Amino acid sequence: MISFQVNDMTCGHCVSSITKAVKALDSGAKVQVDLAAHRVEIEAAGANAVELSDAIKEAGYTPVAVENSAVAPIVATAAPTRKGCCCG
Ligand SMILES: [Cu+2]
């Protein structure tokens, strides 16, 4: 289970945009959204946390990986040993 906090997800339209973006990336994924908490939980079938995060970003939102998921999360803002973006 991969969890994201998406604070700019504010209505049902956002929910469906994000759900669609995730399913477009990973058609077997299960997506659960708690709109009140701005929380998106994804049971991915193939995609990893970074890919899911990118898909949500491409849909126009700002996902923040949530640490307490069962699967060790890859936190995009603080990835330890991977090649990060060029501005580190
Ligand atoms: Cu909306």
Side-chain angles (χ1 to χ4, degrees):
M1 180 74 80
I2 298 164
S3 301
F4 295 103
Q5 188 74 30
V6 188
N7 286 322
D8 44 11
M9 174 181 70
T10 53
C11 71
H13 176 76
C14 302
V15 171
S16 71
S17 299
I18 289 171
T19 304
K20 259 192 231 162
V22 170
K23 299 244 180 190
L25 172 69
D26 185 346
S27 58
K30 286 184 200 151
V31 185
Q32 280 193 321
V33 178
D34 184 337
L35 183 56
H38 304 291
R39 184 65 63 97
V40 179
E41 297 197 331
I42 301 163
E43 190 104 44
N48 66 34
V50 169
E51 291 168 334
L52 292 165
S53 173
D54 284 348
I56 295 172
K57 280 183 206 160
E58 272 172 34
Y61 301 95
T62 312
V64 177
V66 176
E67 295 266 355
N68 63 1
S69 57
V71 178
I74 300 164
V75 181
T77 50
T81 56
R82 289 172 178 264
K83 270 196 227 169
C85 73
C86 56
C87 38

Coordinates of all heavy atoms in Angstrom, one line a residue:
M1 N 0.9 -1.2 0.0 CA 0.0 0.0 0.0 C 0.9 1.2 0.0 O 1.8 1.4 0.8 CB -0.9 0.0 1.2 CG -1.8 1.2 1.3 SD -3.2 1.1 0.2 CE -4.3 0.0 1.1
I2 N 0.6 2.1 -0.9 CA 1.4 3.4 -1.0 C 0.4 4.5 -0.7 O -0.7 4.6 -1.3 CB 2.0 3.5 -2.4 CG1 3.0 2.4 -2.7 CG2 2.7 4.9 -2.6 CD1 3.3 2.2 -4.2
S3 N 0.8 5.4 0.2 CA -0.1 6.5 0.5 C 0.5 7.8 0.2 O 1.7 8.0 0.3 CB -0.4 6.4 2.1 OG -0.9 5.2 2.4
F4 N -0.4 8.7 -0.3 CA 0.0 10.1 -0.5 C -0.9 11.0 0.1 O -2.1 10.8 0.2 CB 0.0 10.4 -2.0 CG 1.0 9.6 -2.8 CD1 0.6 8.5 -3.6 CD2 2.3 9.9 -2.8 CE1 1.5 7.8 -4.3 CE2 3.2 9.2 -3.6 CZ 2.8 8.1 -4.3
Q5 N -0.4 12.1 0.6 CA -1.2 13.2 1.1 C -1.2 14.2 -0.1 O -0.2 14.6 -0.7 CB -0.4 13.9 2.3 CG -1.2 15.0 3.0 CD -2.3 14.4 3.8 OE1 -2.2 13.3 4.3 NE2 -3.4 15.1 4.0
V6 N -2.4 14.5 -0.5 CA -2.6 15.4 -1.7 C -3.5 16.5 -1.3 O -4.7 16.5 -1.4 CB -3.2 14.7 -2.9 CG1 -3.2 15.6 -4.1 CG2 -2.5 13.4 -3.2
N7 N -2.8 17.6 -0.8 CA -3.6 18.7 -0.2 C -4.4 19.5 -1.2 O -5.4 20.2 -0.8 CB -2.7 19.6 0.7 CG -2.3 18.9 2.0 OD1 -3.2 18.2 2.6 ND2 -1.1 19.0 2.4
D8 N -4.0 19.5 -2.4 CA -4.8 20.2 -3.4 C -5.9 19.4 -4.1 O -6.4 19.8 -5.1 CB -3.9 20.9 -4.4 CG -2.7 20.1 -4.9 OD1 -2.7 18.8 -4.7 OD2 -1.8 20.6 -5.6
M9 N -6.1 18.2 -3.6 CA -7.3 17.4 -4.0 C -8.5 17.9 -3.1 O -8.5 17.6 -1.9 CB -7.0 15.9 -3.7 CG -8.1 15.0 -4.0 SD -7.7 13.3 -3.7 CE -7.5 13.3 -1.9
T10 N -9.4 18.6 -3.7 CA -10.4 19.2 -2.9 C -11.8 18.8 -3.2 O -12.8 19.2 -2.5 CB -10.3 20.8 -3.1 OG1 -10.3 21.0 -4.5 CG2 -9.0 21.3 -2.5
C11 N -12.1 18.1 -4.3 CA -13.5 17.8 -4.6 C -13.5 16.4 -5.4 O -12.5 15.8 -5.7 CB -14.1 18.9 -5.4 SG -13.5 19.0 -7.1
G12 N -14.7 16.0 -5.7 CA -14.9 14.8 -6.4 C -14.2 14.7 -7.8 O -13.8 13.7 -8.3
H13 N -14.1 15.9 -8.4 CA -13.5 16.0 -9.7 C -12.0 15.6 -9.5 O -11.4 14.9 -10.3 CB -13.6 17.4 -10.3 CG -12.9 17.5 -11.6 ND1 -13.3 17.0 -12.8 CD2 -11.7 18.1 -11.9 CE1 -12.4 17.3 -13.7 NE2 -11.4 17.9 -13.2
C14 N -11.4 16.2 -8.5 CA -10.0 15.9 -8.2 C -9.8 14.4 -8.0 O -8.8 13.8 -8.5 CB -9.5 16.6 -7.0 SG -9.7 18.4 -7.1
V15 N -10.7 13.9 -7.2 CA -10.6 12.4 -6.9 C -10.6 11.6 -8.2 O -9.8 10.7 -8.4 CB -11.8 12.0 -6.0 CG1 -11.8 10.5 -5.9 CG2 -11.7 12.7 -4.7
S16 N -11.5 12.0 -9.1 CA -11.6 11.1 -10.3 C -10.4 11.4 -11.3 O -9.9 10.5 -11.9 CB -13.0 11.3 -11.1 OG -13.0 12.6 -11.6
S17 N -9.9 12.6 -11.3 CA -8.7 12.9 -12.1 C -7.5 12.1 -11.6 O -6.8 11.5 -12.4 CB -8.3 14.4 -12.0 OG -9.3 15.2 -12.5
I18 N -7.4 12.0 -10.3 CA -6.2 11.3 -9.7 C -6.4 9.8 -9.9 O -5.5 9.1 -10.3 CB -6.1 11.7 -8.2 CG1 -5.6 13.1 -8.1 CG2 -5.2 10.7 -7.5 CD1 -5.6 13.7 -6.7
T19 N -7.7 9.4 -9.7 CA -7.9 7.9 -9.9 C -7.6 7.5 -11.3 O -7.0 6.5 -11.5 CB -9.4 7.6 -9.5 OG1 -9.6 8.0 -8.2 CG2 -9.7 6.1 -9.6
K20 N -8.1 8.3 -12.2 CA -7.8 8.0 -13.7 C -6.4 8.0 -14.0 O -5.9 7.2 -14.7 CB -8.5 9.1 -14.5 CG -9.8 8.7 -15.1 CD -10.2 9.7 -16.2 CE -11.7 10.1 -16.0 NZ -12.0 11.3 -16.7
A21 N -5.6 9.0 -13.4 CA -4.2 9.1 -13.7 C -3.5 7.8 -13.2 O -2.6 7.3 -13.8 CB -3.6 10.3 -13.1
V22 N -3.9 7.4 -12.0 CA -3.2 6.2 -11.4 C -3.6 5.0 -12.3 O -2.7 4.2 -12.6 CB -3.7 6.0 -10.0 CG1 -3.2 4.7 -9.4 CG2 -3.1 7.1 -9.1
K23 N -4.8 4.9 -12.7 CA -5.3 3.7 -13.4 C -4.7 3.7 -14.8 O -4.4 2.6 -15.4 CB -6.8 3.6 -13.5 CG -7.4 3.5 -12.2 CD -8.2 2.2 -12.0 CE -8.8 2.2 -10.6 NZ -9.3 0.8 -10.3
A24 N -4.4 4.9 -15.4 CA -3.8 4.9 -16.7 C -2.3 4.4 -16.6 O -1.8 3.8 -17.5 CB -3.8 6.4 -17.2
L25 N -1.7 4.7 -15.5 CA -0.3 4.2 -15.3 C -0.3 2.7 -14.9 O 0.5 2.0 -15.4 CB 0.3 5.0 -14.1 CG 1.6 4.5 -13.6 CD1 2.7 4.8 -14.6 CD2 2.0 5.1 -12.3
D26 N -1.3 2.3 -14.1 CA -1.2 1.0 -13.5 C -2.7 0.5 -13.5 O -3.4 0.7 -12.5 CB -0.6 1.0 -12.2 CG -0.5 -0.4 -11.5 OD1 -1.0 -1.3 -12.0 OD2 0.3 -0.5 -10.5
S27 N -3.1 -0.2 -14.6 CA -4.5 -0.5 -14.7 C -5.0 -1.5 -13.7 O -6.2 -1.5 -13.4 CB -4.8 -1.1 -16.1 OG -4.0 -2.2 -16.3
G28 N -4.1 -2.2 -13.0 CA -4.6 -3.1 -12.0 C -4.6 -2.5 -10.6 O -4.9 -3.2 -9.6
A29 N -4.2 -1.3 -10.5 CA -4.1 -0.6 -9.2 C -5.5 -0.5 -8.5 O -6.5 -0.2 -9.2 CB -3.4 0.7 -9.3
K30 N -5.5 -0.6 -7.2 CA -6.7 -0.2 -6.5 C -6.4 1.1 -5.8 O -5.4 1.3 -5.1 CB -7.0 -1.3 -5.4 CG -7.5 -2.5 -6.0 CD -7.9 -3.5 -4.9 CE -7.9 -4.9 -5.4 NZ -7.6 -5.9 -4.4
V31 N -7.4 2.0 -6.0 CA -7.2 3.4 -5.4 C -8.3 3.7 -4.4 O -9.5 3.5 -4.7 CB -7.3 4.4 -6.6 CG1 -7.0 5.8 -6.0 CG2 -6.4 4.1 -7.7
Q32 N -7.9 4.1 -3.3 CA -8.8 4.5 -2.2 C -8.5 5.9 -1.9 O -7.4 6.3 -1.6 CB -8.7 3.6 -1.0 CG -9.3 2.3 -1.1 CD -9.4 1.6 0.2 OE1 -8.5 1.7 1.0 NE2 -10.5 1.0 0.5
V33 N -9.6 6.8 -1.8 CA -9.4 8.2 -1.6 C -10.2 8.6 -0.4 O -11.4 8.3 -0.3 CB -9.8 9.0 -2.8 CG1 -9.6 10.5 -2.5 CG2 -8.9 8.6 -4.0
D34 N -9.6 9.3 0.6 CA -10.3 9.9 1.6 C -10.2 11.4 1.4 O -9.2 12.1 1.7 CB -9.6 9.5 3.0 CG -10.4 10.1 4.2 OD1 -11.1 11.1 4.0 OD2 -10.2 9.6 5.3
L35 N -11.3 11.9 0.8 CA -11.2 13.3 0.4 C -11.1 14.3 1.6 O -10.4 15.2 1.5 CB -12.5 13.6 -0.4 CG -12.6 15.0 -1.0 CD1 -11.5 15.3 -1.9 CD2 -13.9 15.1 -1.8
A36 N -11.8 14.0 2.6 CA -11.7 14.8 3.8 C -10.3 15.0 4.4 O -9.9 16.0 4.8 CB -12.7 14.3 4.9
A37 N -9.6 13.9 4.3 CA -8.2 13.8 4.8 C -7.2 14.2 3.7 O -6.0 14.2 4.0 CB -7.9 12.5 5.4
H38 N -7.7 14.3 2.5 CA -6.8 14.6 1.3 C -5.8 13.5 1.2 O -4.6 13.7 0.9 CB -6.1 15.9 1.5 CG -7.0 17.1 1.6 ND1 -7.8 17.5 0.6 CD2 -7.2 17.9 2.7 CE1 -8.5 18.5 1.1 NE2 -8.2 18.8 2.3
R39 N -6.3 12.3 1.4 CA -5.4 11.1 1.4 C -5.7 10.2 0.3 O -6.9 9.9 0.0 CB -5.5 10.4 2.8 CG -4.6 9.2 3.0 CD -3.2 9.6 3.1 NE -2.9 10.5 4.2 CZ -2.5 10.1 5.4 NH1 -2.2 8.8 5.5 NH2 -2.3 10.9 6.4
V40 N -4.7 9.7 -0.4 CA -4.9 8.8 -1.5 C -4.1 7.5 -1.2 O -2.9 7.6 -0.9 CB -4.4 9.3 -2.9 CG1 -4.5 8.3 -4.0 CG2 -5.1 10.6 -3.2
E41 N -4.7 6.4 -1.1 CA -4.0 5.1 -0.9 C -4.1 4.2 -2.1 O -5.2 4.0 -2.6 CB -4.6 4.4 0.4 CG -4.5 5.3 1.6 CD -4.7 4.6 2.9 OE1 -5.4 3.6 2.8 OE2 -4.1 4.9 3.9
I42 N -3.0 3.7 -2.5 CA -2.9 3.0 -3.7 C -2.3 1.6 -3.5 O -1.3 1.5 -2.9 CB -2.1 3.7 -4.8 CG1 -2.7 5.1 -5.1 CG2 -2.0 2.9 -6.1 CD1 -1.8 6.0 -5.7
E43 N -3.1 0.6 -3.9 CA -2.6 -0.8 -3.9 C -2.1 -1.0 -5.3 O -2.9 -1.3 -6.2 CB -3.7 -1.7 -3.5 CG -3.3 -3.1 -3.2 CD -3.3 -3.4 -1.7 OE1 -4.2 -3.0 -1.1 OE2 -2.3 -4.0 -1.3
A44 N -0.8 -0.8 -5.5 CA -0.3 -0.9 -6.9 C -0.2 -2.3 -7.4 O 0.1 -3.2 -6.6 CB 1.0 -0.2 -7.0
A45 N -0.4 -2.5 -8.7 CA -0.2 -3.8 -9.3 C 1.2 -3.9 -9.9 O 1.7 -5.0 -10.0 CB -1.3 -4.1 -10.3
G46 N 1.7 -2.8 -10.3 CA 3.0 -2.8 -11.0 C 3.8 -1.6 -10.7 O 5.1 -1.6 -10.7
A47 N 3.2 -0.5 -10.6 CA 3.9 0.8 -10.5 C 4.5 1.0 -9.1 O 4.0 0.4 -8.1 CB 2.9 1.9 -10.8
N48 N 5.6 1.7 -9.1 CA 6.2 2.0 -7.8 C 5.8 3.4 -7.3 O 5.1 4.2 -8.0 CB 7.7 1.8 -7.8 CG 8.4 2.8 -8.7 OD1 8.0 4.0 -8.9 ND2 9.5 2.4 -9.3
A49 N 6.2 3.8 -6.1 CA 5.8 5.0 -5.5 C 6.2 6.2 -6.3 O 5.4 7.2 -6.4 CB 6.3 5.1 -4.1
V50 N 7.3 6.2 -6.9 CA 7.8 7.4 -7.7 C 6.9 7.5 -9.0 O 6.5 8.6 -9.3 CB 9.3 7.2 -8.1 CG1 9.7 8.2 -9.1 CG2 10.1 7.3 -6.8
E51 N 6.7 6.4 -9.6 CA 5.8 6.5 -10.8 C 4.4 7.0 -10.5 O 3.8 7.8 -11.2 CB 5.7 5.1 -11.5 CG 7.1 4.6 -12.1 CD 7.1 3.2 -12.5 OE1 6.3 2.4 -11.9 OE2 7.9 2.8 -13.4
L52 N 3.9 6.5 -9.4 CA 2.6 6.9 -9.0 C 2.6 8.4 -8.6 O 1.6 9.1 -9.0 CB 2.1 6.1 -7.8 CG 1.8 4.6 -8.1 CD1 1.7 3.8 -6.8 CD2 0.6 4.4 -8.9
S53 N 3.6 8.8 -7.9 CA 3.7 10.2 -7.6 C 3.8 11.1 -8.8 O 3.1 12.1 -9.0 CB 4.9 10.4 -6.7 OG 5.2 11.7 -6.5
D54 N 4.5 10.6 -9.8 CA 4.7 11.4 -11.1 C 3.3 11.5 -11.8 O 3.0 12.5 -12.4 CB 5.7 10.7 -12.0 CG 7.1 11.1 -11.5 OD1 7.3 11.9 -10.7 OD2 8.0 10.4 -12.1
A55 N 2.6 10.4 -11.8 CA 1.3 10.3 -12.5 C 0.3 11.3 -11.8 O -0.4 12.0 -12.5 CB 0.7 8.9 -12.4
I56 N 0.4 11.4 -10.5 CA -0.5 12.3 -9.8 C -0.1 13.8 -10.1 O -0.9 14.7 -10.3 CB -0.5 12.0 -8.3 CG1 -1.2 10.7 -8.1 CG2 -1.3 13.1 -7.5 CD1 -1.1 10.2 -6.6
K57 N 1.2 14.0 -10.1 CA 1.7 15.3 -10.5 C 1.3 15.7 -11.9 O 0.9 16.9 -12.1 CB 3.3 15.4 -10.4 CG 3.8 15.5 -9.0 CD 5.3 15.6 -9.0 CE 5.9 15.1 -7.7 NZ 7.3 14.7 -7.8
E58 N 1.4 14.8 -12.8 CA 1.0 15.1 -14.2 C -0.5 15.4 -14.3 O -0.9 16.1 -15.2 CB 1.4 13.9 -15.1 CG 2.8 14.1 -15.6 CD 3.3 12.9 -16.4 OE1 2.5 12.3 -17.1 OE2 4.5 12.6 -16.3
A59 N -1.2 14.9 -13.4 CA -2.7 15.2 -13.4 C -2.9 16.6 -12.8 O -4.0 17.1 -12.8 CB -3.4 14.2 -12.6
G60 N -1.8 17.2 -12.3 CA -1.9 18.6 -11.8 C -2.0 18.8 -10.3 O -2.3 19.8 -9.8
Y61 N -1.6 17.7 -9.6 CA -1.7 17.8 -8.1 C -0.3 17.6 -7.5 O 0.6 17.4 -8.2 CB -2.7 16.7 -7.6 CG -4.0 16.9 -8.2 CD1 -4.4 16.3 -9.3 CD2 -4.9 17.9 -7.7 CE1 -5.7 16.5 -9.9 CE2 -6.1 18.1 -8.2 CZ -6.5 17.4 -9.4 OH -7.7 17.7 -9.9
T62 N -0.3 17.8 -6.2 CA 0.9 17.8 -5.5 C 0.9 16.7 -4.4 O 0.5 16.9 -3.3 CB 1.2 19.2 -4.8 OG1 0.9 20.2 -5.7 CG2 2.6 19.3 -4.2
P63 N 1.3 15.5 -4.8 CA 1.3 14.4 -3.8 C 2.6 14.4 -2.9 O 3.7 14.8 -3.4 CB 1.4 13.2 -4.7 CG 2.1 13.6 -5.9 CD 1.8 15.1 -6.1
V64 N 2.3 14.1 -1.7 CA 3.4 14.0 -0.7 C 3.4 12.6 -0.2 O 2.4 12.1 0.4 CB 3.3 15.0 0.4 CG1 4.4 14.8 1.5 CG2 3.3 16.4 -0.1
A65 N 4.4 11.8 -0.4 CA 4.4 10.4 0.1 C 4.3 10.4 1.6 O 4.9 11.2 2.3 CB 5.7 9.7 -0.3
V66 N 3.5 9.5 2.1 CA 3.2 9.3 3.5 C 4.1 8.1 4.0 O 4.0 7.0 3.5 CB 1.7 9.1 3.8 CG1 1.5 8.8 5.2 CG2 1.0 10.3 3.3
E67 N 4.8 8.4 5.1 CA 5.8 7.5 5.6 C 5.2 6.2 6.1 O 5.9 5.1 6.1 CB 6.6 8.1 6.7 CG 7.4 9.3 6.2 CD 8.8 8.9 5.8 OE1 9.2 7.7 6.1 OE2 9.6 9.7 5.3
N68 N 4.0 6.2 6.7 CA 3.6 5.0 7.5 C 2.9 3.9 6.6 O 2.2 3.2 7.2 CB 2.7 5.5 8.6 CG 1.4 6.1 8.1 OD1 1.2 6.2 6.9 ND2 0.6 6.5 9.0
S69 N 3.2 3.9 5.3 CA 2.6 2.8 4.5 C 3.4 1.5 4.8 O 4.5 1.5 5.3 CB 2.7 3.2 3.1 OG 4.0 3.4 2.7
A70 N 2.7 0.4 4.5 CA 3.2 -0.9 4.8 C 4.5 -1.2 4.0 O 5.4 -1.7 4.4 CB 2.2 -2.0 4.6
V71 N 4.4 -0.7 2.7 CA 5.6 -0.9 1.8 C 6.5 0.3 2.1 O 6.1 1.4 2.3 CB 5.1 -0.8 0.4 CG1 6.3 -0.9 -0.6 CG2 4.1 -1.9 0.1
A72 N 7.8 0.0 2.2 CA 8.8 1.1 2.4 C 8.6 2.1 1.4 O 8.7 1.8 0.2 CB 10.2 0.5 2.4
P73 N 8.3 3.3 1.7 CA 8.0 4.3 0.7 C 9.3 4.9 0.2 O 10.3 5.0 0.8 CB 7.2 5.4 1.5 CG 7.8 5.2 2.9 CD 8.2 3.8 3.1
I74 N 9.2 5.4 -1.1 CA 10.3 6.1 -1.6 C 9.8 7.6 -1.6 O 8.9 8.0 -2.3 CB 10.5 5.7 -3.1 CG1 10.9 4.2 -3.1 CG2 11.6 6.5 -3.7 CD1 10.8 3.6 -4.4
V75 N 10.4 8.3 -0.7 CA 9.9 9.7 -0.6 C 10.7 10.6 -1.6 O 11.9 10.7 -1.5 CB 10.2 10.2 0.9 CG1 9.7 11.6 1.0 CG2 9.5 9.3 1.9
A76 N 9.9 11.1 -2.5 CA 10.5 11.9 -3.6 C 11.3 13.1 -3.1 O 12.3 13.4 -3.7 CB 9.4 12.3 -4.5
T77 N 10.9 13.7 -2.0 CA 11.6 14.9 -1.6 C 12.8 14.6 -0.8 O 13.6 15.4 -0.6 CB 10.6 15.7 -0.7 OG1 10.1 14.8 0.3 CG2 9.5 16.3 -1.5
A78 N 13.0 13.3 -0.4 CA 14.2 13.0 0.4 C 14.8 11.7 0.1 O 15.1 10.9 1.0 CB 13.8 13.1 1.9
A79 N 14.8 11.3 -1.2 CA 15.4 10.0 -1.6 C 16.9 10.0 -1.2 O 17.6 10.9 -1.6 CB 15.2 9.8 -3.1
P80 N 17.3 9.0 -0.5 CA 18.6 9.0 0.1 C 19.7 8.7 -0.9 O 20.6 9.6 -1.1 CB 18.6 7.9 1.1 CG 17.4 7.1 0.8 CD 16.5 7.9 0.0
T81 N 19.7 7.6 -1.6 CA 20.9 7.3 -2.4 C 20.7 7.3 -3.9 O 21.6 7.1 -4.7 CB 21.4 5.9 -2.0 OG1 20.3 5.0 -2.2 CG2 21.9 5.8 -0.6
R82 N 19.4 7.5 -4.3 CA 19.2 7.5 -5.8 C 19.7 8.8 -6.4 O 19.9 9.8 -5.7 CB 17.7 7.5 -6.0 CG 17.2 6.2 -5.7 CD 15.7 6.2 -5.8 NE 15.2 4.9 -5.5 CZ 14.9 4.0 -6.5 NH1 15.0 4.3 -7.7 NH2 14.6 2.8 -6.2
K83 N 19.9 8.7 -7.7 CA 20.1 10.0 -8.4 C 18.9 10.9 -8.3 O 17.8 10.5 -8.7 CB 20.3 9.7 -9.9 CG 21.7 9.4 -10.3 CD 21.8 9.5 -11.8 CE 22.6 8.3 -12.3 NZ 22.5 8.2 -13.8
G84 N 19.0 12.0 -7.7 CA 17.9 12.9 -7.5 C 17.8 13.8 -8.7 O 18.4 13.6 -9.8
C85 N 17.1 14.9 -8.5 CA 17.1 15.9 -9.5 C 18.4 16.7 -9.5 O 19.2 16.6 -8.6 CB 15.9 16.8 -9.3 SG 16.1 17.9 -8.0
C86 N 18.5 17.6 -10.5 CA 19.8 18.3 -10.7 C 20.0 19.4 -9.6 O 21.1 19.9 -9.6 CB 19.8 18.9 -12.1 SG 18.4 20.0 -12.3
C87 N 19.0 19.7 -8.8 CA 19.2 20.9 -8.0 C 19.6 20.6 -6.6 O 19.6 21.4 -5.7 CB 17.9 21.8 -8.0 SG 16.4 20.9 -8.0
G88 N 20.0 19.3 -6.3 CA 20.5 18.9 -5.0 C 21.8 19.5 -4.8 O 22.3 19.7 -3.7
Ligands
CU1 CU -11.5 19.2 -7.5

